[in-house]
Amino acid sequence: MPEQVPDRRERRKALTRRSIADTAQRLFAERGFEAVTVAEIAVAADVAAKTIFNYFPTKEQLFFDAEPKLLPPDLPDASWTSPETLRQGLAEWACATAPLATPAAPPTNPTRPLANPAALPTNPTGPLANPAGPLAIPAGSLANPAVALAERAVVYRDSPLLRAHAREAFAAREAAVARAIEAAHLATSPGVMAALLLAAVREAWESALLMLADKGNPGDAAAHGRRILMNALDLLSRNRAPVRTPRPPSGPLDPQETLDLLNPPKPARRGDRGGERVSIVRVARVAGVSATTVSHTLNGRRPVAAETRDRVLEAIRQLGYRPNVLARGLRTNRSQTVGLVIPDITNPFYPALARGLQDVLRPAGYDEIISNTDGDRTRERAAIEQMIARQVDGLAFAVFHTHAEDLNPAIEAGIPVVRLGGTLVQDGVDLVHSDDEGGAAEATRYLLARGYRRIGFICGPGAEGPAAERVSGYRSALLAAGVATDPELVAYTHFSRHGGAAGVSRLLDLPEPPDAVLCANDLMAIGALDAAGGRGLHVPGDLAVMGFDDIDAASLVRPRLTTMANPAREIGRACGMRLLERLSGEPAALIPTEIVIPARLVERESA
């Protein structure tokens, strides 16, 4: 008998967990994920909010970790020694998730103990591993698993927050996949292969889920997702990315095939005769001017009479002429492109920065090539190599983990480099950034002036790049005010909404939690608002939240976000002007320069 007590306790915990999850899923289906708070779930499930957090640390986990689980588990310790074992292992892992698995038939009487508990879609290491016993499973999501899964699919489809969490959950597996591929020597670029594999898994998973959301048949949705996965894995197992028309698997190209690839047949353009490419000479003949005049009209380097210019433009319109950028590059030794390397293209700060850069570069005849690195040093270095290979004329680099020596290949290739953040440490590199340290210090002083004394800081991983300056400004303002700095109040997490929620949750679990938090960017601050609301806290009454950047969403959330305006577009414009100065070749423009854009306090409602 004594041995049965722990089993009964575990079964009751499992039932409590199930009751919480079923209640939450019902509320999510009725009102949407973002509209439901943890406090409301607690009332409906007749438990304390703290009890919910004991089982599900975040609201996203409450959605995804309920049975059946929607996200893949941690990657198993697999020995992948060949492309085929890699394909099989990843397929087995991916197909274990609910959207890709064949849905189980609903039990005939859900209020009685199940005859085969092993058929339950459970976590084998969790409290439901042995659900046998006299306690009845509550009638809820198990009453009809297919219907419950379809309802959750609709909730997922309609929630940007859940979709973002899923992206991060799949991306978190990338390092483990890359290590397995590298250990088995299955690809020359394990990181690239891992990213492609996980992209295929996520595409299959989400496709099946969205098909369910649109009232598709569960079996058809699962089969559809598995087909997508298998088709991608068939190509990836041959160490190739999925492409529309795969090339032959082996063998060098013969010279004629190389010529065909370099000079593919050109589609006929408006005004073309027999598919012949329209040349600048032909434009000049139709306009009655010289080819040099056409060139001056296009590049604007020399004035052209208005009447002549109109004739040239009309001839270009009639013939459908397009300048040959490759040929121009060969003549001028310029590609007319500038590379922009950023850590997170989904963070609204960086599209605004890119727009500012484009405001300056496009009128000067330059286009942008954008590379996203997720703030990973290996990807940052790879992006630099890719930009060199593409022969960009200049490079704008948003620094997170890149060290000075990582930029040497670009400098040695004669490419002007502007760093967006970090410190000025080497010749040949300019620096354009906001006043990160001064802005963080001003934000901290603002919170201190409002009466907050235990102020936390939500920072990126390792506090590198611009976040390091913001941490420094935060600490210097505390010391200047005579407030002791507490290392426990600095939470290192990811530069994302989910990272902000996780970071503030960690701080709120401290024995002495903060009364205010300053976040390294606005997305993290919005995540902090999510976490505070999920715990039933009032902002700013129970917890003040402050961001950094002043992205558009900062004024749209509730409460509206108090933040430091970090003028992204102005930073981009300053970067573009500095690159153009460098590209001019003037001796004075070659001296390394630092341009600091001041941050500005924007007071709203959250602090």
Side-chain angles (χ1 to χ4, degrees), residues 280 291 295 298-299 301 321 323-336:
I280 195 172
S295 178
L298 290 172
N299 60 39
R301 290 176 183 168
Y321 171 75
N324 188 330
V325 177
L326 293 176
R328 182 176 61 189
L330 290 172
R331 291 194 304 271
T332 63
N333 202 27
R334 291 275 178 91
S335 66
Q336 296 301 118

Side-chain angles (χ1 to χ4, degrees), residues 75-76 78 80 84-94:
L75 208 67
W80 294 336
E84 185 56 32
T85 57
L86 168 65
R87 176 185 177 279
Q88 292 176 351
L90 198 78
E92 291 172 2
W93 168 74

Side-chain angles (χ1 to χ4, degrees), residues 395-398 416-420 429-432 575 578-579:
L395 180 61
F397 204 94
V417 179
V418 175
R419 293 179 68 149
L420 301 166
V429 177
D430 299 297
L431 180 63
V432 177
C575 176
R578 184 59 191 142
L579 282 172

Side-chain angles (χ1 to χ4, degrees), residues 138 199 269 272 348 359 388:
R269 300 174 182 269
D272 280 3
D359 288 345
I388 295 172

Side-chain angles (χ1 to χ4, degrees), residues 49 88 97 259 262 307 319 381 390 400 504 552 560 571:
Q88 292 176 351
T97 62
L259 289 173
L262 292 175
E307 181 184 352
L319 297 172
R381 288 186 291 187
R390 290 176 177 271
F400 265 64
V504 80
D552 287 345
R560 296 184 305 151
I571 292 173

Side-chain angles (χ1 to χ4, degrees), residues 94-155:
C95 289
T97 62
L100 296 183
T102 301
T108 56
N109 188 350
T111 60
R112 297 184 57 190
L114 297 180
N116 181 16
L120 280 169
T122 63
N123 177 358
T125 61
L128 286 178
N130 181 19
L135 297 175
I137 300 295
S141 64
L142 287 182
N144 193 331
V147 171
L149 186 59
E151 290 177 349
R152 291 171 69 189
V154 172
V155 174

Side-chain angles (χ1 to χ4, degrees), residues 174-447:
E174 190 171 314
V177 177
R179 285 194 297 270
I181 294 172
E182 186 174 22
H185 305 289
L186 297 179
T188 55
S189 301
V192 173
M193 178 64 75
L196 292 171
L197 287 169
L198 287 171
V201 173
R202 183 172 176 273
E203 180 187 0
W205 173 86
E206 189 166 61
S207 176
L209 203 58
L210 295 180
M211 190 171 173
L212 283 173
D214 292 334
K215 303 188 185 305
N217 179 276
D220 292 344
H224 176 70
R226 287 196 298 272
R227 279 195 300 272
I228 292 176
L229 176 64
M230 296 310 170
N231 289 339
L233 291 176
D234 282 341
L235 292 172
L236 290 168
S237 65
R238 297 194 290 271
N239 287 351
R240 295 198 308 275
V243 292
R244 293 184 183 274
T245 307
R247 291 185 51 198
S250 62
L253 296 175
D254 62 35
Q256 183 58 48
E257 186 178 1
T258 303
L259 289 173
D260 291 342
L261 285 173
L262 292 175
N263 302 283
K266 298 177 178 64
R269 300 174 182 269
R270 180 175 55 188
D272 280 3
R273 295 176 181 171
E276 176 191 357
R277 186 184 182 93
V278 179
S279 68
I280 195 172
V281 174
R282 189 171 166 202
V283 172
R285 189 164 57 245
V286 170
V289 298
S290 69
T292 302
T293 300
V294 175
S295 178
H296 291 335
T297 301
L298 290 172
N299 60 39
R301 290 176 183 168
R302 293 187 185 179
V304 176
E307 181 184 352
T308 303
R309 181 176 180 276
D310 290 343
R311 290 207 314 273
V312 171
L313 294 178
E314 177 60 22
I316 288 173
R317 188 192 66 78
Q318 288 179 3
L319 297 172
Y321 171 75
R322 297 292 183 272
N324 188 330
V325 177
L326 293 176
R328 182 176 61 189
L330 290 172
R331 291 194 304 271
T332 63
N333 202 27
R334 291 275 178 91
S335 66
Q336 296 301 118
T337 58
V338 167
L340 173 61
V341 180
I342 56 177
D344 183 8
I345 200 169
T346 65
N347 184 333
F349 175 84
Y350 291 104
L353 186 150
R355 175 59 189 271
L357 188 64
Q358 188 181 71
D359 288 345
V360 174
L361 294 178
R362 177 153 291 179
Y366 288 86
D367 291 319
E368 293 176 38
I369 300 174
I370 300 177
S371 178
N372 185 83
T373 67
D374 293 329
D376 178 79
R377 185 184 178 192
T378 301
R379 292 183 183 178
E380 288 175 348
R381 288 186 291 187
I384 295 171
E385 295 292 340
Q386 291 168 5
M387 293 301 178
I388 295 172
R390 290 176 177 271
Q391 298 183 340
V392 296
D393 296 328
L395 180 61
F397 204 94
V399 173
F400 265 64
H401 303 293
T402 298
H403 297 186
E405 63 267 26
D406 296 336
L407 292 171
N408 284 339
I411 297 169
E412 291 166 1
I415 299 174
V417 179
V418 175
R419 293 179 68 149
L420 301 166
T423 56
L424 190 63
V425 293
Q426 60 197 126
D427 291 336
V429 177
D430 299 297
L431 180 63
V432 177
H433 63 99
S434 67
D435 186 5
D436 294 300
E437 184 170 355
E442 182 177 351
T444 306
R445 288 193 294 269
Y446 170 83
L447 292 172

